[in-house]
């Protein structure tokens, strides 16, 4: 009877420790641009391709997320990530630092203390010439101080981002009136700056950077035939 009781208490203790570890991991989450929590081990597909107007001949795919500390205490954490890509350069920015990589591999950002209820922006950009397919697997690692200089690392949520380009370039689409336009040729050379109308442009294909009084900014391909 005593042996059964001891076994039961041991199993209960293990379950409690497991629950604590899971709770610690769940206190830090990935969040999308709408403020919605992204489920652990989720996969996101990024398909929008844009011309990089500041680097002629280059294209880019970009996504912006957040890392949120929803615990009631400061958490020390780091971001580990594995990159797979065919060509180009991949940039990961978080915790007030940016790393750029031209080769596949596993990397990480330096540990950072995040205050309780804090949120950090996470920006990932893939820049390439022709082959935009790639993948990034992100892993949040939570570091806990056990005293005497000993740190324990616990895996937080993991997120996979697939770069799957729909097209080799950006589509031509209408551009609203009432804004300010910077106009580039398809090689990224600035042709006109701070135009208030596109009606006087000659026939051709352009890259137009648009911004309005509300601070909305986007870049689109614009074709006049």
């Amino acid at each position: 009877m005593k042996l059964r009781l001891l076994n039961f208490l041991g199993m209960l203790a293990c379950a409690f420790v497991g629950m604590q570890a899971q709770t610690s991991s769940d206190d830090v989450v990935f969040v999308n641009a709408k403020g919605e929590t992204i489920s652990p081990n989720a996969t996101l597909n990024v398909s929008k391709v844009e011309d990089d107007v500041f680097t002629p001949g280059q294209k880019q795919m970009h996504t912006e997320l957040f890392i949120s500390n929803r615990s009631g205490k400061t958490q020390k954490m780091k971001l580990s990530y594995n990159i797979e890509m065919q060509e180009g350069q991949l940039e990961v920015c978080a915790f007030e630092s940016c790393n750029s990589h031209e080769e596949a591999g596993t990397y990480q950002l330096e540990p950072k203390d995040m205050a309780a209820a804090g949120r950090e922006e996470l920006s990932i950009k893939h820049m390439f010439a022709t082959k935009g397919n790639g993948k990034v697997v992100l892993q949040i690692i939570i570091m806990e101080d056990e005293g005497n200089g000993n740190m324990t690392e616990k895996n937080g949520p993991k997120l996979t981002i697939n770069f799957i380009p729909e097209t080799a370039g950006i589509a031509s689409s209408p551009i609203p009136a009432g804004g300010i336009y910077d106009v580039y040729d398809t090689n990224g050379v600035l042709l006109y700056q701070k135009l208030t109308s596109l009606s006087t442009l000659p026939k051709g294909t352009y890259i137009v950077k648009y911004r309005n009084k509300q601070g909305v900014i986007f870049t689109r391909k614009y074709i006049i035939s």
Side-chain angles (χ1 to χ4, degrees):
M1 184 67 181
K2 288 183 178 179
L3 183 58
R4 289 181 180 178
L5 181 59
L6 288 173
N7 287 338
F8 174 76
L9 291 175
M11 291 173 62
L12 189 62
C14 289
F16 178 76
V17 170
M19 245 169 44
Q20 288 292 95
Q22 183 64 37
T23 300
S24 176
S25 297
D26 290 347
D27 281 344
V28 180
V29 296
F30 290 108
V31 178
N32 65 21
K34 297 180 180 179
E36 301 166 338
T37 300
I38 300 173
S39 301
N41 301 312
T43 298
L44 301 180
N45 294 326
V46 178
S47 58
K48 183 179 180 181
V49 179
E50 297 179 313
D51 285 333
D52 187 347
V53 298
F54 300 106
T55 308
Q58 290 288 305
K59 304 181 186 303
Q60 67 178 24
M61 304 176 74
H62 183 222
T63 183
E64 289 187 357
L65 305 169
F66 296 91
I67 298 173
S68 179
N69 178 11
R70 295 183 174 176
S71 70
K73 62 179 181 180
T74 297
Q75 297 269 27
K76 180 181 285 292
M77 66 189 75
K78 61 183 177 181
L79 182 68
S80 174
Y81 51 96
N82 179 268
I83 297 171
E84 297 177 16
M85 59 182 174
Q86 294 177 291
E87 67 165 21
Q89 185 178 57
L90 193 133
E91 180 184 82
V92 178
C93 297
F95 304 139
E96 301 176 357
S97 64
C98 289
N99 287 345
S100 296
H101 309 282
E102 296 182 352
E103 296 182 0
T106 300
Y107 307 91
Q108 68 179 32
L109 295 174
E110 291 299 316
K112 165 84 179 220
D113 287 333
M114 186 185 294
R119 191 170 78 159
E120 291 280 347
E121 184 175 352
L122 169 61
S123 173
I124 301 173
K125 183 186 296 184
H126 182 26
M127 295 157 285
F128 58 95
T130 58
K131 300 176 182 178
N133 292 82
K135 181 171 75 172
V136 182
V137 180
L138 305 163
Q139 174 77 68
I140 295 176
I141 299 175
I142 301 168
M143 308 173 69
E144 296 188 354
D145 190 354
E146 294 187 336
N148 299 322
N150 296 321
M151 300 294 293
T152 298
E153 295 187 352
K154 297 181 180 180
N155 287 338
K158 181 183 291 186
L159 176 63
T160 299
I161 299 177
N162 290 321
F163 291 101
I164 308 173
E166 288 183 346
T167 174
I170 59 177
S172 176
S173 55
I175 297 178
I180 302 297
Y181 314 93
D182 293 338
V183 181
Y184 301 78
D185 66 16
T186 54
N187 292 317
V189 177
L190 180 63
L191 302 176
Y192 309 95
Q193 191 172 20
K194 296 183 179 180
L195 295 181
T196 56
S197 173
L198 299 175
S199 61
T200 59
L201 290 178
K203 294 181 180 180
T205 300
Y206 305 94
I207 304 298
V208 177
K209 183 176 181 181
Y210 167 89
R211 59 185 179 277
N212 64 15
K213 294 179 180 179
Q214 288 72 41
V216 176
I217 299 176
F218 60 75
T219 302
R220 290 180 182 171
K221 181 182 289 185
Y222 187 65
I223 299 175
I224 301 177
S225 57

